[in-house]
Amino acid sequence: MILLDGKIASEAIKKDIAGEVSRWTLEWGKKPHLAAILVGDDPASQTYVRNKEKDCNQVGINSSVYRFSSDISKERLIECVKTINEDPDIDGLIVQLPLPAHFSEQEIIETIDPSKDVDGFHPVNVGRMVLGLPSFVPATPAGIVDLLQYYNVTTRGKECVIIGRSNIVGKPLANLLSRKGGVGDCTVTLCHSHTVDLAKVCCRADIVVAALGRPRFLKADMVKEGAVVIDVGISRVEDNTAKSGFRLVGDVDFEQVAPRCSYITPVPGGVGPMTRLSLLKNTLQAAIKRNKM
Ligand code: NAD
């Protein structure tokens, strides 16, 4: 069994990104710039945004955070998005999700300029991705593709079962892994909460991706001997032995499943660091495109 180590892969790829950022910064006389909008005081969202700032700093990308309290009006939030859309010094914009319940996330996402939508959530980018045109690809599926590529995992002709059909993970990943060439050419089955006999479906997969948000859901009897297993899930479970009182676990019962696998991602340290990397790649791409216009 080989561990698909997202920390190792992301650190290696991050060095390449930092090199590219520094070359472009010299040429343009300014750094790429990522803006994040953070609404409310959700601790997980605050941590994610802080990490994004840290990552940007590490590779030489400027970052700024626009913070609002959760009672901000829709109009004020849209005004902020539009101001950033028009700011020539900002290359990429993310609105940290989830937004407080009174917002329609889709409505806010659709106000982002697609050329700055480095999360790849705007319908223009989703549509372009599906058509195989250049686009920003959502961070987690893009990170999974990069991880498979880094470890030279063969995907062509493989049966891939993805559990979870969210717009940010399952659906775009199904699209990427079934596209022609590269880390693609898989025969993909996209499973969800209404899939009948999920264990049987999973057992025929050469590659299983668990992205459903149920701690340790995937058991050994759901995985074929020699399969590649990608664990996207991140759940907090109580752990009195940890200083924080909790620990992070994935959707895969790692101890049970790992001995059956050819490759498997750990949680933490698998898909998570690769997801963080994708945002940096997308921001650099956005900056390159804008500065060439
Ligand atoms: P989501 O809640 O939007 O979607 C979950 C999907 O799983 C749904 O399509 C649902 O139909 C399916 N599902 C739920 N229970 C099921 C069951 N018993 N059998 C089959 N399908 C079932 O989730 P999401 O936003 O895609 O996130 C999924 C998990 O991945 C969460 O734990 C989340 O924290 C994690 N996540 C991790 C990263 C990362 O960077 N590692 C990024 C995004 C999400």
Side-chain angles (χ1 to χ4, degrees):
M1 181 271 292
I2 296 171
L3 204 62
L4 296 171
D5 192 320
K7 277 195 209 150
I8 292 177
S10 68
E11 283 309 319
I13 302 172
K14 224 187 259 179
K15 279 196 190 125
D16 296 342
I17 296 175
E20 221 182 314
V21 168
S22 120
R23 271 193 303 281
W24 283 107
T25 301
L26 268 179
E27 187 175 326
W28 301 326
K30 62 173 184 166
K31 294 178 173 185
H33 186 166
L34 172 70
I37 294 179
L38 177 58
V39 182
D41 48 15
D42 174 53
S45 292
Q46 295 197 9
T47 305
Y48 290 141
V49 169
R50 225 180 6 254
N51 286 340
K52 284 166 190 174
E53 286 183 277
K54 215 159 57 184
D55 292 340
C56 282
N57 196 26
Q58 246 188 14
V59 298
I61 291 177
N62 275 343
S63 64
S64 43
V65 182
Y66 295 72
R67 291 187 168 82
F68 298 101
S69 64
S70 55
D71 59 0
I72 180 184
S73 69
K74 178 180 93 177
E75 290 70 28
R76 176 74 190 91
L77 186 57
I78 288 179
E79 193 186 299
C80 177
V81 171
K82 286 186 174 162
T83 305
I84 295 173
N85 282 344
E86 279 154 27
D87 188 334
D89 285 334
I90 297 178
D91 302 295
L93 165 63
I94 57 157
V95 176
Q96 183 64 44
L97 302 180
L99 286 173
H102 62 280
F103 286 105
S104 153
E105 290 181 346
Q106 194 59 31
E107 185 181 359
I108 303 300
I109 286 167
E110 289 186 25
T111 60
I112 299 175
D113 176 346
S115 73
K116 294 192 178 186
D117 166 44
V118 285
D119 262 338
F121 295 160
H122 191 287
V124 167
N125 281 311
V126 177
R128 291 181 65 87
M129 179 195 66
V130 171
L131 292 170
L133 299 169
S135 66
F136 296 118
V137 173
T140 303
I144 293 170
V145 165
D146 284 346
L147 188 61
L148 292 170
Q149 184 163 39
Y150 184 83
Y151 280 94
N152 287 316
V153 176
T154 306
T155 55
R156 180 178 295 168
K158 301 293 181 191
E159 281 249 16
C160 174
V161 169
I162 300 171
I163 316 171
R165 58 178 164 185
S166 73
N167 288 340
I168 62 166
V169 186
K171 272 194 253 172
L173 184 64
N175 191 269
L176 295 177
L177 291 179
S178 57
R179 73 187 166 177
K180 196 170 179 175
V183 181
D185 291 325
C186 285
T187 303
V188 177
T189 305
L190 187 56
C191 297
H192 45 76
S193 44
H194 295 282
T195 299
V196 175
D197 206 346
L198 183 65
K200 192 171 163 198
V201 178
C202 289
C203 275
R204 65 168 198 247
D206 303 303
I207 302 171
V208 184
V209 182
L212 67 161
R214 302 268 183 279
R216 300 193 192 94
F217 177 89
L218 195 81
K219 303 291 181 191
D221 61 1
M222 299 171 80
V223 176
K224 176 167 97 173
E225 188 75 44
V228 177
V229 172
I230 309 290
D231 190 352
V232 182
I234 306 175
S235 300
R236 277 183 176 196
V237 296
E238 218 175 280
D239 181 355
N240 295 332
T241 65
K243 222 162 69 185
S244 57
F246 69 86
R247 69 190 167 100
L248 298 179
V249 296
D251 288 348
V252 176
D253 191 328
F254 187 90
E255 284 72 29
Q256 268 196 24
V257 172
R260 291 181 70 75
C261 297
S262 53
Y263 297 90
I264 187 167
T265 60
V267 175
V271 174
M274 299 304 292
T275 297
R276 287 170 64 173
L277 185 76
S278 303
L279 187 63
L280 302 177
K281 285 176 75 173
N282 281 352
T283 303
L284 175 60
Q285 284 318 310
I288 292 172
K289 213 165 159 205
R290 296 184 69 72
N291 284 286
K292 277 185 178 166
M293 282 198 299

